[in-house]
Amino acid sequence: MLFMKEQRPILKAQILNAGAVPPDSATLNKILGQKWKSLTVDEQNKYFEESERLSQVHATTYPDWSYRENYGKKKKQVWSRKATSTCAPEVPVQTPMPCT
């Protein structure tokens, strides 16, 4: 994720500077995935180490944080039936007046 976060704006700028049509997110992800796979293990380890460091910083900053708070049980909706009349409202019927 750190690699993509770092490289996405660079790649997007390169494509736009080349005069090409701005790619959609899926196309950018495919290109970034290919770039990631072409990195050496040492280059990839740089991002893994940074990720681990950021995880430790987050753990010390927010010691009581839990992912369950974000993905907890959803509350059930309580459906209540309101008293509604099934009959149509009474409308006075007007009878035509006879012509005289």
Side-chain angles (χ1 to χ4, degrees):
M1 182 185 268
L2 294 175
F3 174 77
M4 292 183 80
K5 196 174 193 179
E6 175 186 286
Q7 295 295 320
R8 184 182 309 273
I10 296 169
L11 179 64
K12 199 171 190 178
Q14 287 174 350
I15 292 172
L16 291 175
N17 288 339
V21 177
D24 59 342
S25 182
T27 306
L28 284 175
N29 289 342
K30 287 178 186 178
I31 296 169
L32 289 172
Q34 291 169 351
K35 283 188 169 191
W36 173 257
K37 289 178 183 177
S38 69
L39 293 178
T40 64
V41 175
D42 290 334
E43 292 171 329
Q44 288 181 357
N45 280 339
K46 177 180 94 171
Y47 293 100
F48 288 128
E49 289 169 2
E50 180 66 12
S51 175
E52 183 63 32
R53 186 189 72 78
L54 290 174
S55 293
Q56 291 174 355
V57 168
H58 184 271
T60 56
T61 307
Y62 305 102
D64 296 329
W65 184 85
S66 170
Y67 70 92
R68 290 183 183 183
E69 293 171 6
N70 293 333
Y71 301 104
K73 294 181 180 178
K74 292 183 180 180
K75 294 181 180 178
K76 290 184 179 180
Q77 287 185 342
V78 178
W79 295 94
S80 63
R81 291 185 176 242
K82 294 182 180 177
T84 58
S85 174
T86 57
C87 301
E90 290 187 29
V91 177
V93 178
Q94 294 180 352
T95 57
M97 295 184 65
C99 295
T100 53

